[in-house]
Amino acid sequence: MIRGITDTVKHLIIINVVMFIGTLTIGNGELFYQWFALYFPKNDLFQPWQIITHMFMHGGTTHILFNMFALWMFGSAVESQLGSKKFLFIYMSAGFGAVLFQLGYYYFNYLPIYSELISSGLTSPQITQMFTTNEVLQGVNDSQLALLKDAFPIYNASMVGASGCIMGILAAFGMMNPEAKLMLIFLPIPIKAKYFIPGIILLDVVSAVTGQSFFSPSNTAYMAHVGGALTGFIIMWYWKKNQFKQNRWDR
């Protein structure tokens, strides 16, 4: 595996670190986070640029350290094999794929609840007011309250981190280096990439469906991981199928 650091990976790490410093220092962290984290589109805090900027934001020191370590370790190897343009294409595409999957998952859970709330007699402004202020309006019954509690964390959800991008890079690495042996920090057993990476993705799917966390915090956007990995896989599959002949870019 590549031990050095490639140019694009280095620049991405620098951008992530600068954004993290901004989070810690500007507006006590809250203002910077509100500007650049990705919020649920129904939330008034959502802005279109957050679809990109959230990829360079992180929620804490451990979060950014783990992501930047993975970016250095796998990203440098992938960039060395594919070149900077293909690497960056996979990286950003995986980030967009992560957004698509995570927001799609949010909407899948949110819309039926919202429809039930409307059918129960609440109006859209009332629902938005309660989600925004976290205060229950007078006259809300127990069944409505239960629905509000289910939808509240979705409406107020925010997403930060390069994990979706990195999962796409990890999938690309696994497709190019299927026999490479990888290990989890908490499970120091070497496993071939062709088994290790699908296993990690499967755990993310299980975590998204059940809410059970295995190797990451419980507030992890698991479907973003799945979307990033699947995007990286599809791109690499397409490139390998065409043997890069129709999609060759200069390095």
Side-chain angles (χ1 to χ4, degrees), residues 18-37 39 50 53 56-57:
V18 169
M19 292 289 281
F20 184 64
I21 293 172
T23 303
L24 296 177
T25 57
I26 297 176
N28 295 322
E30 294 182 8
L31 184 60
F32 205 76
Y33 196 93
Q34 288 181 359
W35 286 345
F36 299 125
Y39 286 86
Q50 295 170 355
T53 57
F56 303 96
M57 296 281 290

